[in-house]
Amino acid sequence: MIDLSRYGYKETKKPPGGLIPGRVVEFRRNQYTVITQFGEVSAVLKGAFVYDAVVRSDLPCVGDFIFLQYNESGASLITELLPRSSKFSRSDYSGHGYAHIKANREQVVATNFDYVFIVTSLNRDFRINRILRYLTQARASGGTPVVILTKSDLCDDFSAQVREVQEAAPGVAVYAVSSHTGFGLDKLSEYIAPGKTVVFLGMSGVGKSSLLNALANEDIMTVKETRNVDVSKGAHTTTHRQLVMLPCGAMVIDTPGMRELGLIDAEESISEGFSDIEELFSMCRFSDCRHQTEPGCAVQDAIGNGTLSTNRWEQYLTQKREDRYLDKKVTITHMRERKKQGKALAKFSRNHEKQKFGGNW
Protein backbone atom coordinates (compact mmCIF):
# COMPACT_ATOMS: atom_id res chain seq x y z
CA MET A 1 0.00 0.00 0.00
CA ILE A 2 1.27 3.48 -0.89
CA ASP A 3 1.20 6.29 1.66
CA LEU A 4 -0.36 9.21 -0.25
CA SER A 5 1.00 11.71 2.26
CA ARG A 6 4.33 11.24 0.45
CA TYR A 7 2.57 12.78 -2.55
CA GLY A 8 1.34 15.75 -0.54
CA TYR A 9 -2.14 14.42 0.23
CA LYS A 10 -3.81 15.72 3.40
CA GLU A 11 -7.28 14.48 4.23
CA THR A 12 -9.47 17.57 4.53
CA LYS A 13 -12.59 15.67 3.55
CA LYS A 14 -13.41 12.03 4.14
CA PRO A 15 -13.95 10.16 0.87
CA PRO A 16 -17.59 9.10 0.36
CA GLY A 17 -18.32 5.41 0.59
CA GLY A 18 -16.73 3.35 -2.17
CA LEU A 19 -14.30 6.10 -3.23
CA ILE A 20 -10.57 6.50 -2.61
CA PRO A 21 -8.30 9.55 -2.91
CA GLY A 22 -5.57 9.98 -5.50
CA ARG A 23 -3.34 12.54 -7.19
CA VAL A 24 -3.19 13.10 -10.94
CA VAL A 25 0.37 12.48 -12.13
CA GLU A 26 -0.17 12.49 -15.90
CA PHE A 27 -2.75 13.51 -18.47
CA ARG A 28 -2.94 12.91 -22.21
CA ARG A 29 -5.85 12.57 -24.64
CA ASN A 30 -8.57 12.57 -21.95
CA GLN A 31 -6.79 9.73 -20.13
CA TYR A 32 -5.46 10.28 -16.62
CA THR A 33 -2.80 8.45 -14.64
CA VAL A 34 -3.51 8.70 -10.91
CA ILE A 35 -1.36 7.62 -7.97
CA THR A 36 -3.47 5.91 -5.29
CA GLN A 37 -2.96 3.68 -2.29
CA PHE A 38 -2.93 0.78 -4.78
CA GLY A 39 -0.26 2.38 -6.99
CA GLU A 40 -0.69 4.04 -10.37
CA VAL A 41 -4.04 3.48 -12.07
CA SER A 42 -5.55 4.62 -15.37
CA ALA A 43 -8.66 6.72 -14.98
CA VAL A 44 -11.25 8.64 -16.98
CA LEU A 45 -13.84 11.20 -15.95
CA LYS A 46 -17.18 9.85 -14.81
CA GLY A 47 -20.01 10.98 -17.07
CA ALA A 48 -21.70 12.98 -14.30
CA PHE A 49 -18.43 14.80 -13.65
CA VAL A 50 -18.14 15.89 -17.28
CA TYR A 51 -21.82 16.88 -17.38
CA ASP A 52 -21.45 19.16 -14.33
CA ALA A 53 -18.31 20.90 -15.64
CA VAL A 54 -18.99 24.39 -17.00
CA VAL A 55 -15.53 25.68 -18.00
CA ARG A 56 -12.27 23.92 -18.74
CA SER A 57 -10.75 24.89 -15.39
CA ASP A 58 -13.38 22.63 -13.76
CA LEU A 59 -11.58 19.59 -15.19
CA PRO A 60 -8.71 17.85 -13.35
CA CYS A 61 -5.13 18.76 -14.15
CA VAL A 62 -1.72 17.32 -13.28
CA GLY A 63 -1.16 17.86 -9.57
CA ASP A 64 -4.84 17.74 -8.63
CA PHE A 65 -6.15 15.63 -5.76
CA ILE A 66 -9.30 13.72 -6.65
CA PHE A 67 -11.71 11.03 -5.47
CA LEU A 68 -12.26 8.06 -7.75
CA GLN A 69 -14.06 4.75 -8.03
CA TYR A 70 -11.23 2.24 -8.11
CA ASN A 71 -11.35 -0.50 -10.75
CA GLU A 72 -8.57 -3.08 -10.47
CA SER A 73 -9.29 -4.61 -13.87
CA GLY A 74 -9.96 -1.49 -15.99
CA ALA A 75 -10.16 2.27 -16.01
CA SER A 76 -11.15 3.84 -12.69
CA LEU A 77 -13.68 6.70 -12.67
CA ILE A 78 -12.83 10.18 -11.38
CA THR A 79 -15.88 11.48 -9.55
CA GLU A 80 -14.75 14.58 -7.66
CA LEU A 81 -12.07 17.28 -7.85
CA LEU A 82 -10.77 18.42 -4.46
CA PRO A 83 -10.01 22.11 -3.68
CA ARG A 84 -6.72 23.43 -5.04
CA SER A 85 -4.14 25.12 -2.81
CA SER A 86 -2.40 26.67 -5.80
CA LYS A 87 -2.75 26.70 -9.57
CA PHE A 88 -0.90 28.09 -12.55
CA SER A 89 -3.02 29.14 -15.53
CA ARG A 90 -2.43 30.64 -18.95
CA SER A 91 -4.79 32.13 -21.51
CA ASP A 92 -5.88 29.76 -24.25
CA TYR A 93 -8.98 29.57 -26.43
CA SER A 94 -8.28 26.24 -28.13
CA GLY A 95 -10.57 23.23 -27.93
CA HIS A 96 -10.72 20.75 -25.07
CA GLY A 97 -12.67 17.74 -26.33
CA TYR A 98 -16.03 18.35 -24.61
CA ALA A 99 -18.55 20.23 -26.74
CA HIS A 100 -20.68 21.59 -23.89
CA ILE A 101 -17.79 23.05 -21.88
CA LYS A 102 -17.11 26.69 -22.63
CA ALA A 103 -13.73 27.46 -24.21
CA ASN A 104 -12.93 30.23 -21.75
CA ARG A 105 -9.54 31.88 -21.67
CA GLU A 106 -8.18 29.97 -18.67
CA GLN A 107 -6.15 26.82 -19.17
CA VAL A 108 -4.90 25.35 -15.90
CA VAL A 109 -1.34 24.12 -16.38
CA ALA A 110 -0.50 22.69 -12.94
CA THR A 111 -1.93 22.65 -9.41
CA ASN A 112 -1.11 22.08 -5.75
CA PHE A 113 2.55 23.07 -5.85
CA ASP A 114 4.76 24.87 -3.37
CA TYR A 115 7.28 26.49 -5.70
CA VAL A 116 7.30 27.76 -9.28
CA PHE A 117 10.66 27.32 -11.01
CA ILE A 118 10.76 29.82 -13.87
CA VAL A 119 13.40 28.25 -16.07
CA THR A 120 15.23 30.17 -18.79
CA SER A 121 18.63 29.67 -20.37
CA LEU A 122 21.64 31.98 -20.26
CA ASN A 123 21.86 32.20 -24.04
CA ARG A 124 20.09 34.25 -26.68
CA ASP A 125 16.72 32.93 -25.40
CA PHE A 126 17.20 35.08 -22.27
CA ARG A 127 14.39 37.69 -22.21
CA ILE A 128 13.76 39.74 -19.09
CA ASN A 129 10.21 40.68 -20.15
CA ARG A 130 9.31 37.01 -20.57
CA ILE A 131 10.67 36.22 -17.11
CA LEU A 132 8.60 39.05 -15.64
CA ARG A 133 5.43 37.77 -17.31
CA TYR A 134 6.01 34.35 -15.74
CA LEU A 135 6.67 36.05 -12.40
CA THR A 136 3.38 37.93 -12.58
CA GLN A 137 1.46 34.70 -13.06
CA ALA A 138 3.54 32.85 -10.48
CA ARG A 139 2.63 35.45 -7.86
CA ALA A 140 -1.06 34.90 -8.63
CA SER A 141 -0.70 31.11 -8.51
CA GLY A 142 -0.24 30.70 -4.79
CA GLY A 143 3.25 29.24 -5.14
CA THR A 144 6.61 30.86 -4.39
CA PRO A 145 8.44 31.92 -7.59
CA VAL A 146 12.13 31.08 -8.09
CA VAL A 147 14.08 32.05 -11.21
CA ILE A 148 16.45 29.35 -12.53
CA LEU A 149 18.98 30.44 -15.18
CA THR A 150 20.27 27.30 -16.90
CA LYS A 151 23.25 26.49 -19.13
CA SER A 152 25.69 28.54 -17.07
CA ASP A 153 28.49 26.34 -18.44
CA LEU A 154 27.99 28.00 -21.84
CA CYS A 155 28.69 31.48 -20.42
CA ASP A 156 32.04 32.96 -19.46
CA ASP A 157 30.29 35.47 -17.20
CA PHE A 158 26.58 35.42 -16.31
CA SER A 159 26.68 37.98 -13.50
CA ALA A 160 25.05 40.64 -15.68
CA GLN A 161 21.99 38.46 -16.40
CA VAL A 162 21.63 37.49 -12.73
CA ARG A 163 21.87 41.14 -11.69
CA GLU A 164 19.31 42.17 -14.35
CA VAL A 165 16.74 39.71 -12.99
CA GLN A 166 17.45 40.69 -9.38
CA GLU A 167 16.97 44.38 -10.19
CA ALA A 168 13.79 43.77 -12.20
CA ALA A 169 12.30 41.40 -9.59
CA PRO A 170 13.49 42.46 -6.13
CA GLY A 171 12.92 39.87 -3.44
CA VAL A 172 12.76 36.92 -5.86
CA ALA A 173 15.45 34.22 -5.51
CA VAL A 174 17.62 33.85 -8.63
CA TYR A 175 20.04 30.97 -9.28
CA ALA A 176 22.40 30.26 -12.16
CA VAL A 177 22.91 26.51 -12.67
CA SER A 178 24.33 23.98 -15.06
CA SER A 179 22.65 20.60 -15.47
CA HIS A 180 25.74 19.42 -17.37
CA THR A 181 28.37 20.22 -14.72
CA GLY A 182 26.13 20.30 -11.64
CA PHE A 183 27.07 23.90 -10.85
CA GLY A 184 24.57 25.59 -8.52
CA LEU A 185 22.27 22.58 -8.09
CA ASP A 186 23.12 22.22 -4.40
CA LYS A 187 21.59 25.65 -3.75
CA LEU A 188 18.16 24.29 -4.78
CA SER A 189 18.01 21.79 -1.91
CA GLU A 190 15.73 23.98 0.22
CA TYR A 191 13.08 23.74 -2.52
CA ILE A 192 13.71 20.15 -3.67
CA ALA A 193 12.67 18.66 -0.33
CA PRO A 194 10.52 15.64 0.68
CA GLY A 195 6.80 16.26 0.31
CA LYS A 196 7.29 19.51 -1.64
CA THR A 197 6.00 20.00 -5.18
CA VAL A 198 7.75 22.20 -7.73
CA VAL A 199 6.38 23.14 -11.14
CA PHE A 200 8.82 23.83 -13.99
CA LEU A 201 7.78 26.57 -16.41
CA GLY A 202 9.61 27.91 -19.43
CA MET A 203 10.04 27.92 -23.16
CA SER A 204 11.05 24.85 -25.17
CA GLY A 205 14.77 24.18 -25.19
CA VAL A 206 15.68 26.11 -22.04
CA GLY A 207 16.76 22.96 -20.23
CA LYS A 208 13.79 21.96 -18.07
CA SER A 209 14.13 18.24 -18.85
CA SER A 210 17.90 18.32 -18.40
CA LEU A 211 17.43 20.05 -15.04
CA LEU A 212 14.92 17.39 -13.98
CA ASN A 213 17.32 14.61 -14.97
CA ALA A 214 20.15 16.28 -13.06
CA LEU A 215 18.08 16.67 -9.89
CA ALA A 216 16.97 13.04 -10.12
CA ASN A 217 20.50 11.78 -10.90
CA GLU A 218 19.02 9.68 -13.70
CA ASP A 219 17.54 10.11 -17.17
CA ILE A 220 13.84 10.47 -16.36
CA MET A 221 13.14 12.67 -19.38
CA THR A 222 14.50 12.13 -22.88
CA VAL A 223 16.44 15.13 -24.15
CA LYS A 224 16.92 15.64 -27.86
CA GLU A 225 20.38 16.16 -29.28
CA THR A 226 21.46 19.79 -29.44
CA ARG A 227 21.49 21.24 -32.95
CA ASN A 228 24.94 21.52 -34.50
CA VAL A 229 24.11 24.95 -35.91
CA ASP A 230 23.59 26.41 -32.46
CA VAL A 231 25.19 24.72 -29.47
CA SER A 232 23.36 27.07 -27.11
CA LYS A 233 19.95 25.78 -28.11
CA GLY A 234 18.39 22.51 -27.05
CA ALA A 235 15.03 20.78 -27.31
CA HIS A 236 13.21 18.23 -25.23
CA THR A 237 10.47 15.75 -25.91
CA THR A 238 8.02 16.74 -23.19
CA THR A 239 4.66 16.83 -24.98
CA HIS A 240 2.33 16.63 -22.01
CA ARG A 241 2.28 17.58 -18.35
CA GLN A 242 3.34 15.04 -15.77
CA LEU A 243 4.32 14.81 -12.10
CA VAL A 244 7.58 13.01 -11.30
CA MET A 245 8.64 11.77 -7.85
CA LEU A 246 12.36 12.38 -7.27
CA PRO A 247 14.47 9.96 -5.19
CA CYS A 248 14.74 12.61 -2.45
CA GLY A 249 10.94 12.64 -2.02
CA ALA A 250 10.26 15.95 -3.78
CA MET A 251 7.87 16.08 -6.72
CA VAL A 252 8.32 17.98 -9.98
CA ILE A 253 5.60 18.87 -12.47
CA ASP A 254 7.24 19.19 -15.87
CA THR A 255 5.34 21.06 -18.56
CA PRO A 256 5.73 21.32 -22.33
CA GLY A 257 7.48 24.49 -23.43
CA MET A 258 5.04 27.31 -24.06
CA ARG A 259 5.62 29.70 -26.94
CA GLU A 260 3.32 32.29 -25.38
CA LEU A 261 2.18 33.14 -21.91
CA GLY A 262 -1.06 35.06 -21.70
CA LEU A 263 -1.70 36.70 -18.34
CA ILE A 264 -4.86 35.68 -16.48
CA ASP A 265 -6.53 38.09 -14.01
CA ALA A 266 -3.13 39.66 -13.54
CA GLU A 267 -3.97 43.16 -12.30
CA GLU A 268 -3.33 42.42 -8.63
CA SER A 269 -0.15 40.44 -9.38
CA ILE A 270 1.20 43.23 -11.60
CA SER A 271 0.61 45.66 -8.76
CA GLU A 272 2.50 43.37 -6.38
CA GLY A 273 5.43 42.98 -8.74
CA PHE A 274 5.64 46.72 -9.48
CA SER A 275 4.56 48.14 -6.12
CA ASP A 276 7.45 50.61 -6.18
CA ILE A 277 6.02 52.18 -9.33
CA GLU A 278 2.40 52.29 -8.23
CA GLU A 279 3.42 53.92 -4.96
CA LEU A 280 4.63 56.86 -7.06
CA PHE A 281 1.16 57.42 -8.51
CA SER A 282 -0.16 58.85 -5.24
CA MET A 283 2.65 61.41 -5.25
CA CYS A 284 1.69 62.92 -8.62
CA ARG A 285 0.31 66.47 -8.51
CA PHE A 286 -2.83 65.49 -10.44
CA SER A 287 -4.98 62.47 -9.53
CA ASP A 288 -5.65 61.77 -13.23
CA CYS A 289 -1.99 62.02 -14.22
CA ARG A 290 -1.14 59.92 -17.28
CA HIS A 291 2.56 59.90 -16.31
CA GLN A 292 3.69 61.34 -19.63
CA THR A 293 4.34 65.10 -19.82
CA GLU A 294 2.14 66.41 -16.99
CA PRO A 295 3.84 68.79 -14.53
CA GLY A 296 4.45 67.33 -11.09
CA CYS A 297 4.45 63.72 -12.30
CA ALA A 298 6.25 61.63 -9.69
CA VAL A 299 6.95 58.86 -12.21
CA GLN A 300 8.71 61.13 -14.68
CA ASP A 301 10.56 62.82 -11.83
CA ALA A 302 11.79 59.39 -10.62
CA ILE A 303 12.93 58.51 -14.14
CA GLY A 304 14.66 61.88 -14.41
CA ASN A 305 16.60 61.55 -11.16
CA GLY A 306 17.49 57.91 -11.78
CA THR A 307 15.51 56.29 -8.94
CA LEU A 308 13.28 54.56 -11.52
CA SER A 309 14.83 53.08 -14.66
CA THR A 310 13.23 53.57 -18.05
CA ASN A 311 13.42 49.80 -18.63
CA ARG A 312 11.41 49.02 -15.49
CA TRP A 313 8.77 51.61 -16.40
CA GLU A 314 8.48 50.10 -19.90
CA GLN A 315 8.20 46.58 -18.39
CA TYR A 316 5.30 47.77 -16.24
CA LEU A 317 3.53 49.39 -19.20
CA THR A 318 4.01 46.27 -21.34
CA GLN A 319 2.33 44.01 -18.78
CA LYS A 320 -0.54 46.45 -18.27
CA ARG A 321 -1.12 46.61 -22.04
CA GLU A 322 -1.15 42.81 -22.31
CA ASP A 323 -3.59 42.51 -19.41
CA ARG A 324 -5.97 45.06 -21.01
CA TYR A 325 -5.72 43.28 -24.36
CA LEU A 326 -6.72 39.94 -22.84
CA ASP A 327 -9.58 41.54 -20.89
CA LYS A 328 -10.86 42.98 -24.16
CA LYS A 329 -10.44 39.64 -25.91
CA VAL A 330 -12.42 37.72 -23.29
CA THR A 331 -15.19 40.35 -23.40
CA ILE A 332 -15.48 39.94 -27.18
CA THR A 333 -15.50 36.15 -26.78
CA HIS A 334 -18.32 36.32 -24.22
CA MET A 335 -20.33 38.62 -26.52
CA ARG A 336 -19.92 36.15 -29.39
CA GLU A 337 -21.00 33.27 -27.16
CA ARG A 338 -24.11 35.16 -26.04
CA LYS A 339 -24.94 36.01 -29.64
CA LYS A 340 -24.52 32.37 -30.63
CA GLN A 341 -26.72 31.25 -27.74
CA GLY A 342 -29.35 33.82 -28.74
CA LYS A 343 -29.45 32.48 -32.29
CA ALA A 344 -29.75 28.91 -30.99
CA LEU A 345 -32.64 29.94 -28.72
CA ALA A 346 -34.40 31.75 -31.59
CA LYS A 347 -34.02 28.67 -33.81
CA PHE A 348 -35.41 26.46 -31.05
CA SER A 349 -38.42 28.77 -30.66
CA ARG A 350 -39.11 28.73 -34.39
CA ASN A 351 -38.94 24.93 -34.51
CA HIS A 352 -41.23 24.72 -31.49
CA GLU A 353 -43.80 26.96 -33.19
CA LYS A 354 -43.65 24.87 -36.35
CA GLN A 355 -44.36 21.71 -34.36
CA LYS A 356 -47.12 23.43 -32.42
CA PHE A 357 -48.97 24.60 -35.52
CA GLY A 358 -48.07 21.70 -37.77
CA GLY A 359 -45.77 23.78 -39.94
CA ASN A 360 -48.67 25.93 -41.27
CA TRP A 361 -47.64 29.39 -40.19
Side-chain angles (χ1 to χ4, degrees), residues 5-10 23 65 112-114 191-198 245 248-251:
S5 64
R6 292 181 54 239
Y7 285 83
Y9 177 69
K10 298 176 182 178
R23 190 174 194 186
F65 295 104
N112 298 315
F113 46 82
D114 301 284
Y191 312 106
I192 308 297
K196 298 296 184 180
T197 300
V198 179
M245 173 68 79
C248 67
M251 290 154 284

Coordinates of all heavy atoms in Angstrom, one line a residue, residues 5-10 23 65 112-114 191-198 245 248-251:
S5 N 0.4 10.5 1.7 CA 1.0 11.7 2.3 C 2.4 12.0 1.7 O 2.8 13.2 1.6 CB 1.1 11.6 3.8 OG 2.0 10.5 4.1
R6 N 3.1 11.0 1.1 CA 4.3 11.2 0.4 C 4.1 12.1 -0.8 O 5.0 12.7 -1.3 CB 5.0 9.9 0.1 CG 5.5 9.1 1.2 CD 6.1 7.8 0.8 NE 7.2 8.0 -0.2 CZ 7.2 7.6 -1.4 NH1 6.2 6.8 -1.9 NH2 8.2 7.8 -2.3
Y7 N 2.9 12.0 -1.3 CA 2.6 12.8 -2.5 C 1.8 14.1 -2.2 O 1.2 14.7 -3.1 CB 1.7 11.9 -3.5 CG 2.5 10.9 -4.2 CD1 2.9 9.7 -3.6 CD2 3.0 11.1 -5.5 CE1 3.6 8.7 -4.3 CE2 3.8 10.2 -6.2 CZ 4.1 9.0 -5.6 OH 4.8 8.0 -6.2
G8 N 1.9 14.5 -0.9 CA 1.3 15.7 -0.5 C -0.1 15.7 -0.1 O -0.7 16.8 0.1
Y9 N -0.7 14.5 -0.1 CA -2.1 14.4 0.2 C -2.4 14.6 1.7 O -1.7 14.0 2.6 CB -2.7 13.1 -0.2 CG -4.2 12.9 0.2 CD1 -5.2 13.6 -0.5 CD2 -4.5 12.0 1.2 CE1 -6.5 13.4 -0.1 CE2 -5.9 11.8 1.5 CZ -6.8 12.5 0.9 OH -8.2 12.3 1.2
K10 N -3.4 15.5 2.0 CA -3.8 15.7 3.4 C -5.3 15.6 3.4 O -6.0 16.3 2.6 CB -3.4 17.1 3.9 CG -1.9 17.3 4.0 CD -1.6 18.7 4.4 CE 0.0 19.0 4.4 NZ 0.3 20.3 4.8
R23 N -3.9 11.3 -6.6 CA -3.3 12.5 -7.2 C -3.0 12.3 -8.6 O -2.4 11.3 -9.0 CB -2.1 13.0 -6.4 CG -1.6 14.4 -6.9 CD -0.4 14.9 -6.1 NE -0.3 16.3 -6.3 CZ 0.7 17.1 -5.9 NH1 1.7 16.5 -5.1 NH2 0.8 18.4 -6.2
F65 N -5.7 16.7 -6.6 CA -6.1 15.6 -5.8 C -7.6 15.4 -6.1 O -8.4 16.3 -6.3 CB -6.0 16.0 -4.3 CG -4.6 16.2 -3.9 CD1 -4.0 17.4 -3.7 CD2 -3.7 15.0 -3.7 CE1 -2.7 17.6 -3.3 CE2 -2.4 15.2 -3.3 CZ -1.9 16.5 -3.1
N112 N -1.6 22.6 -7.0 CA -1.1 22.1 -5.7 C 0.4 22.0 -5.6 O 0.9 20.9 -5.3 CB -1.8 20.7 -5.5 CG -3.3 20.8 -5.4 OD1 -3.8 21.7 -4.8 ND2 -4.0 19.9 -6.1
F113 N 1.1 23.0 -5.9 CA 2.5 23.1 -5.9 C 3.0 24.1 -4.8 O 2.2 25.0 -4.4 CB 3.2 23.4 -7.2 CG 2.5 24.6 -7.9 CD1 2.8 25.9 -7.5 CD2 1.5 24.4 -8.8 CE1 2.1 27.0 -8.1 CE2 0.8 25.4 -9.4 CZ 1.2 26.7 -9.1
D114 N 4.2 24.0 -4.4 CA 4.8 24.9 -3.4 C 5.6 25.9 -4.0 O 5.6 27.1 -3.6 CB 5.6 24.1 -2.4 CG 4.8 23.0 -1.6 OD1 4.0 23.4 -0.7 OD2 4.9 21.8 -2.0
Y191 N 14.3 23.9 -1.8 CA 13.1 23.7 -2.5 C 12.8 22.3 -2.9 O 11.6 21.8 -2.9 CB 13.1 24.6 -3.8 CG 13.6 26.0 -3.5 CD1 14.9 26.4 -4.0 CD2 12.8 26.9 -2.9 CE1 15.4 27.7 -3.7 CE2 13.3 28.2 -2.7 CZ 14.6 28.6 -3.1 OH 15.0 29.9 -2.9
I192 N 13.8 21.6 -3.3 CA 13.7 20.2 -3.7 C 13.8 19.3 -2.4 O 14.8 18.7 -2.1 CB 14.8 19.8 -4.7 CG1 14.8 20.7 -5.9 CG2 14.6 18.3 -5.2 CD1 13.5 20.8 -6.7
A193 N 12.7 19.3 -1.6 CA 12.7 18.7 -0.3 C 11.5 17.7 -0.3 O 10.5 17.8 -1.0 CB 12.5 19.7 0.8
P194 N 11.6 16.7 0.6 CA 10.5 15.6 0.7 C 9.2 16.3 0.9 O 9.0 17.2 1.8 CB 11.0 14.8 1.9 CG 12.4 14.9 1.9 CD 12.7 16.4 1.5
G195 N 8.2 15.8 0.2 CA 6.8 16.3 0.3 C 6.5 17.6 -0.4 O 5.3 18.0 -0.4
K196 N 7.5 18.2 -0.9 CA 7.3 19.5 -1.6 C 7.1 19.2 -3.1 O 7.6 18.3 -3.7 CB 8.5 20.4 -1.4 CG 8.7 20.8 0.0 CD 7.6 21.7 0.6 CE 7.9 22.1 2.0 NZ 6.7 22.9 2.5
T197 N 6.3 20.1 -3.7 CA 6.0 20.0 -5.2 C 6.5 21.3 -5.9 O 6.2 22.4 -5.4 CB 4.5 19.8 -5.5 OG1 4.1 18.6 -4.8 CG2 4.3 19.7 -7.0
V198 N 7.2 21.1 -6.9 CA 7.8 22.2 -7.7 C 7.2 22.1 -9.2 O 7.2 21.0 -9.7 CB 9.3 22.2 -7.7 CG1 9.8 23.3 -8.6 CG2 9.9 22.3 -6.3
M245 N 8.1 11.9 -9.2 CA 8.6 11.8 -7.8 C 10.1 11.6 -7.9 O 10.6 10.6 -8.5 CB 8.0 10.6 -7.1 CG 8.6 10.3 -5.7 SD 8.3 11.6 -4.5 CE 6.6 11.2 -4.1
C248 N 14.7 11.9 -3.7 CA 14.7 12.6 -2.5 C 13.4 12.8 -1.8 O 13.3 13.2 -0.7 CB 15.4 14.0 -2.6 SG 14.4 15.2 -3.6
G249 N 12.3 12.5 -2.6 CA 10.9 12.6 -2.0 C 10.2 13.9 -2.5 O 9.1 14.1 -2.1
A250 N 10.9 14.8 -3.2 CA 10.3 15.9 -3.8 C 9.6 15.6 -5.1 O 9.9 14.6 -5.7 CB 11.3 17.0 -4.0
M251 N 8.6 16.3 -5.5 CA 7.9 16.1 -6.7 C 8.0 17.3 -7.7 O 8.0 18.4 -7.2 CB 6.4 15.9 -6.4 CG 6.1 14.6 -5.7 SD 4.6 14.6 -4.7 CE 5.1 15.6 -3.3

